[in-house]
């Protein structure tokens, strides 16, 4: 049994530390640039107002929501590994570690970050942005309460709080889709399918992260290794299922554009044949779809983990492929040519500063996860484990 | 299954309470739109009576100016400013675009009134068509409801405004406007990064840093303070209009192609011209009901 367990090589402590140092060093340069020069070195403008950071933000909240929802319900139904209350705490830390850097990403994107508090003191709930911000904040607070309750023996409120938190966690990825879906000005976004696509992609990236986190958790707690096989099988099937669903929904979206004789969907054309077509065909379809699919259907435990890693990284392309083409098509023809400026175009390329800040955002996620789990270990040792 | 009946009841209570709270918040804001607190300054001072004798032979600018002053005697909620652009008269001189930039000290990348040009036909039978595009001041603006902090709203007279000190700079409103009428002030200056090794210019110039008087307030662009970092848009020059002056794009129009006035005044020049012509609005299928009309 002992030699069956395969620890993912990319979870090696030294390797992760090296990546973190690199991300931090690169990220700090980006942060300095951002705070000295503001938005001037950024590539987004007025016609494409949202770029890489917003895509990362939606990817982060997707991971938080998807992983938390799946993990909590498997906990509530006593699935192997998930039934460990220590793993529940890891799930909580994962949710927070994915969502806080997402706040950071969107905060850095704001023109007036120092006024972000206004969203809580003078909110307008007609805006999906307000609704999202309140839901994320509720999630973080409720996750904190669940974490606290998880240390209380026989707490009658842990499961009810977890159910509420899980519903919020599954609401916000779909709200992310509604965030774009309500924008009637962008025909590509204005689709009822968008919330479903966002929700499904959150479940895909969330379950892929769970597979990796489960491997890491078991490698640190070899006494529960016997649970790993069932855990792996469960998550692998969930991942395969939600991936299939995602591609079915995506196909549904594209098929309408391809076969509708009345509408020439320029956004879909851009995705399939535009300058960033490699993002769809290469990153999304091949690296994030076909290759992981084959790997997940194989019988190699190594392949499962690598497939999960590929999915987690490449599924940001689903956000980019919705975010950017939606903005790249203007409703008024000739607007781009009416007034020349590099921020008044429908072309967007992320700049060096945006990539460097993205490094810091990823670093922040890993760092919060590390610190959160250190706190978990310390409190568990201090309070005596509280195994299920 | 490890969920007890008690767990399910408690979860039901929590979920129900959370759902009711969320629904209350949404419904409260959705149906309280009209009573929204005004946060952008409005000018209610006295405007001089017209000093010239105006008749139907007077220049249309003078007629509109005179009507403007009469409309200003009415309370704000009884006025409804509108604009009509006669594309047959527009020669594509861009004076309105430049006048607007000068009036509002617009930085690079911010434009309130670009002029779209379109070439039709085949040589030698070609034609250039120009379409100035100010903010449409929609009756049903799609940009205001997406604002997460109520920084942008439609005033009682129909002008859509932005409270610069409330705006967080999320740019959601930019994506929500089908006309692309909002641009973000990213903090650029015309004199940044220019070859001035001897520092002859001594920093940013007055024409780009202000002061300017949008929303009846003395505004200056410097550092990271507003309006830098904010969404910006055409506001029908309400800081001029409420002091009895026409919007700068109207006064600079050499072809007298831009007509401005009170749509609530049945005898206003704008209403007279609208009644005699077939007018259109841009992107009517968007159902935003613009208050900027065009004669083709």
């Amino acid at each position: 049994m002992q030699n069956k367990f395969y620890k993912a090589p990319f979870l090696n402590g030294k390797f992760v530390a090296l990546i973190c140092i690199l991300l931090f060093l690169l990220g700090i340069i980006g942060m300095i640039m951002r705070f000295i020069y503001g938005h001037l070195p950024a590539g987004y403008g007025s016609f494409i107002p949202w770029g890489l950071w917003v895509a990362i933000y939606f990817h982060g909240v997707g991971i938080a929501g998807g992983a938390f929802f799946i993990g909590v319900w498997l906990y509530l139904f006593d699935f192997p590994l998930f039934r460990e209350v220590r793993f529940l705490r890891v799930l909580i830390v994962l949710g927070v570690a994915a969502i806080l850097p997402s706040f950071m990403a969107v905060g850095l994107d704001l023109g007036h970050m120092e006024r972000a508090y206004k969203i809580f003191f003078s909110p307008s709930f007609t805006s999906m942005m307000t609704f999202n911000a309140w839901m994320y904040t509720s999630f973080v607070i409720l996750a904190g309460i669940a974490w606290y309750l998880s240390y209380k023996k026989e707490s009658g409120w842990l499961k009810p709080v977890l159910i509420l938190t899980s519903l919020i966690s599954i609401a916000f990825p779909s709200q992310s889709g509604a965030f774009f879906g309500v924008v009637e000005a962008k025909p590509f976004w204005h689709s009822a399918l968008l919330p479903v696509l966002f929700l499904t992609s959150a479940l895909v990236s969330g379950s892929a992260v769970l597979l990796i986190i489960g491997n890491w958790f078991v490698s640190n707690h070899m006494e529960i290794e016997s649970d790993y096989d069932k855990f792996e099988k469960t998550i692998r099937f969930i991942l395969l299922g939600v991936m299939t669903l995602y591609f079915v929904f995506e196909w549904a979206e594209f098929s309408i554009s391809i076969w509708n004789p009345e509408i020439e969907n320029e956004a879909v054309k851009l995705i399939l044949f535009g300058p960033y077509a490699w993002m769809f065909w290469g990153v999304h379809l091949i690296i994030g779809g076909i290759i992981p699919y084959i790997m997940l259907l194989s019988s190699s435990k190594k392949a499962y983990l690598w497939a999960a890693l590929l999915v987690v990284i490449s599924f940001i392309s689903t956000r980019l492929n919705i975010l950017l083409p939606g903005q790249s098509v203007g409703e008024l023809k000739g607007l781009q040519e009416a007034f020349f400026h590099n921020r008044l175009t429908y072309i967007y390329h992320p700049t060096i500063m945006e990539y460097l800040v993205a490094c810091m955002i990823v670093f922040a996620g890993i760092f919060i996860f590390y610190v959160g789990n250190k706190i978990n270990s310390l409190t568990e040792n201090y309070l005596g484990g509280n195994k299920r | 299954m490890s969920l007890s009946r008690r767990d399910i009841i408690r979860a039901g209570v929590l979920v129900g309470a959370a759902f009711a709270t969320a629904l209350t918040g949404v419904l409260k804001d959705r149906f309280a739109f009209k009573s929204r607190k005004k946060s952008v300054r409005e000018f209610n001072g006295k405007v001089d009576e017209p000093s010239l004798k105006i008749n139907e032979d007077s220049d249309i600018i003078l007629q509109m100016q005179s009507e403007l002053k009469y409309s200003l005697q009415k309370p704000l909620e009884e006025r409804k400013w509108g604009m009509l652009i006669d594309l047959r008269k527009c020669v594509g001189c861009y004076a309105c675009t430049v006048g607007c930039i000068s009036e509002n000290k617009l930085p690079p990348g911010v434009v309130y009134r670009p002029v779209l040009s379109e070439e039709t036909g085949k040589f030698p039978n070609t034609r250039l068509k120009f379409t100035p595009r100010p903010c449409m001041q929609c009756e049903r603006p799609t940009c205001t409801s997406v604002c997460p902090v109520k920084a942008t709203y439609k005033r009682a007279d129909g002008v859509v405004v932005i409270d610069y000190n409330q705006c967080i700079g999320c740019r959601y409103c930019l994506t929500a406007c089908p006309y692309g009428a909002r641009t973000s002030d990213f903090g650029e200056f015309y004199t940044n990064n220019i070859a001035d090794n001897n520092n002859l210019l001594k920093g940013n110039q007055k024409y780009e840093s202000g002061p300017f008087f949008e929303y009846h307030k003395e505004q200056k662009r410097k550092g990271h303070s507003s309006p830098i970092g904010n969404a910006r848009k055409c506001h029908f020059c309400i800081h001029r209009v409420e002091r009895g002056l026409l919007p700068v794009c109207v006064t600079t129009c050499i072809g007298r192609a831009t007509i401005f006035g009170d749509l609530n005044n049945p005898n206003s020049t704008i209403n007279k011209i609208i009644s005699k012509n077939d007018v259109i609005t841009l992107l009517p299928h968007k159902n935003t009901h613009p208050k900027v009309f065009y004669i083709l």
Side-chain angles (χ1 to χ4, degrees), chain B residues 189-205 207-208:
Chain B
F189 287 86
Y190 291 99
T191 49
N192 279 2
N193 303 320
I194 60 162
D196 182 26
N197 292 340
N198 298 326
N199 197 23
L200 296 173
L201 290 176
K202 294 187 174 62
N204 299 131
Q205 301 299 290
Y207 68 81
E208 55 183 347

Side-chain angles (χ1 to χ4, degrees), chain A residues 76 112 115 125 127 179 343, chain B residues 2 29 146 167 172 188 228:
Chain A
L76 293 172
H112 283 283
R115 294 180 193 157
F125 287 102
S127 171
F179 180 91
R343 294 192 194 278
Chain B
S2 66
D29 278 356
V146 298
C167 173
Y172 202 178
E188 293 193 23
I228 290 173

Side-chain angles (χ1 to χ4, degrees), chain B residues 15-199:
Chain B
V15 172
F19 184 75
T21 311
L23 196 67
T24 309
V26 175
L27 294 179
K28 185 178 115 328
D29 278 356
R30 179 57 76 184
F31 296 108
F33 235 58
K34 283 178 185 165
S35 61
R36 178 165 287 178
K37 209 176 117 187
K38 296 170 205 162
S39 52
V40 170
R41 204 179 288 182
E42 289 162 7
F43 180 77
N44 290 312
K46 205 182 165 204
V47 175
D48 294 341
E49 289 289 318
S51 55
L52 290 168
K53 284 194 173 177
I54 308 296
N55 55 45
E56 286 195 354
D57 297 328
S58 304
D59 188 307
I60 198 164
I61 292 279
L62 296 175
Q63 290 179 40
M64 287 189 286
Q65 184 116 341
S66 172
E67 289 162 15
L68 192 73
K69 290 181 178 178
Y70 284 113
S71 286
L72 287 171
Q73 312 301 319
K74 297 192 290 184
L76 188 81
E77 55 277 9
E78 288 177 25
R79 306 169 205 154
K80 189 164 139 187
W81 302 121
M83 190 174 275
L84 172 72
I85 303 172
D86 190 342
L87 299 184
R88 298 168 304 181
K89 293 182 180 173
C90 179
V91 296
C93 68
Y94 300 95
C96 55
T97 311
V98 175
C100 176
I101 290 170
S102 170
E103 173 71 21
N104 298 301
K105 305 283 186 291
L106 301 184
V110 176
V111 62
Y112 290 173
R113 192 179 160 107
V115 178
L116 284 67
S117 56
E118 187 187 359
E119 190 179 338
T120 54
K122 266 193 168 183
F123 183 81
N125 299 313
T126 58
R127 181 172 176 257
L128 267 176
K129 187 181 124 193
F130 301 100
T131 310
R133 194 245 47 212
C135 170
M136 300 291 132
Q137 314 294 353
C138 306
E139 273 297 308
R140 293 182 65 237
T142 49
C143 52
T144 53
S145 60
V146 298
C147 177
V149 292
K150 303 176 184 169
T152 182
Y153 62 93
K154 192 176 81 173
R155 297 187 344 159
D157 59 359
V159 179
V160 177
V161 292
I162 301 170
D163 180 348
Y164 286 155
N165 292 324
Q166 179 71 5
C167 173
I168 61 171
C170 66
R171 305 190 290 279
Y172 202 178
C173 56
L174 270 68
T175 65
C177 174
Y179 306 98
R182 287 174 176 243
T183 45
S184 184
D185 188 337
F186 286 96
E188 293 193 23
F189 287 86
Y190 291 99
T191 49
N192 279 2
N193 303 320
I194 60 162
D196 182 26
N197 292 340
N198 298 326
N199 197 23

Side-chain angles (χ1 to χ4, degrees), chain A residues 1-250:
Chain A
M1 205 65 179
Q2 197 76 7
N3 54 10
K4 268 180 81 179
F5 180 74
Y6 171 77
K7 186 186 172 184
F10 52 81
L11 292 176
N12 177 289
K14 281 181 187 167
F15 176 73
V16 175
L18 192 70
I19 293 286
C20 282
I21 291 168
L22 195 67
L23 287 171
F24 177 76
L25 291 176
L26 292 171
I28 203 80
I29 300 169
M31 295 298 281
I32 291 169
M33 285 172 79
R34 169 66 184 84
F35 283 106
I36 291 179
Y37 303 112
H39 292 270
L40 290 176
Y44 44 77
S46 290
F47 292 168
I48 299 198
W50 295 326
L52 181 66
W53 299 342
V54 174
I56 291 175
Y57 155 68
F58 282 113
H59 191 47
V61 298
I63 290 173
F68 194 85
F69 180 81
I70 296 170
V72 160
W73 282 94
L74 292 177
Y75 166 80
L76 293 172
F77 286 94
D78 266 337
F79 270 69
L81 190 62
F82 289 100
R83 60 185 165 217
E84 283 282 326
V85 77
R86 290 176 301 176
F87 192 62
L88 175 70
R89 288 184 201 121
V90 173
L91 280 180
I92 292 170
V93 168
L94 172 68
V96 175
I99 219 163
L100 291 185
S102 306
F103 285 168
M104 180 181 154
V106 82
L108 290 166
D109 196 71
L110 292 180
H112 283 283
M113 204 193 309
E114 76 284 359
R115 294 180 193 157
Y117 73 90
K118 285 179 187 274
I119 215 161
F120 300 105
F121 291 98
S122 51
S124 166
F125 287 102
T126 58
S127 171
M128 193 42 92
M129 187 180 281
T130 308
F131 211 71
N132 276 357
W134 279 62
M135 291 292 260
Y136 302 143
T137 311
S138 309
F139 172 79
V140 172
I141 293 168
L142 285 168
I145 293 170
W147 183 83
Y148 169 76
L149 291 174
S150 74
Y151 285 100
K152 291 192 128 191
K153 281 185 181 141
E154 305 302 322
S155 166
W157 282 101
L158 176 61
K159 286 179 181 175
V161 168
L162 281 175
I163 291 172
L164 174 64
T165 318
S166 76
L167 291 181
I168 290 176
S169 76
I170 205 60
F172 60 67
S174 38
Q175 280 172 209
S176 304
F179 180 91
F180 296 109
V182 296
V183 180
E184 204 182 334
K186 309 282 182 206
F188 180 61
W189 288 351
H190 193 53
S191 152
L193 199 59
L194 218 57
V196 183
L197 269 174
F198 268 70
L199 173 63
T200 324
S201 82
L203 293 173
V204 172
S205 42
S207 49
V209 168
L210 278 180
L211 196 55
I212 297 168
I213 296 302
N215 183 274
W216 166 81
F217 185 78
V218 172
S219 70
N220 288 326
H221 301 88
M222 290 304 282
E223 71 277 7
I224 49 162
E225 193 204 331
S226 55
D227 274 0
Y228 186 73
D229 278 351
K230 282 180 188 161
F231 155 82
E232 185 191 70
K233 195 175 175 185
T234 311
I235 292 297
R236 190 161 63 91
F237 281 125
I238 290 175
L239 180 54
L240 277 166
V242 286
M243 269 174 75
T244 310
L245 259 184
Y246 185 84
F247 286 106
V248 168
F249 289 142
E250 195 170 57

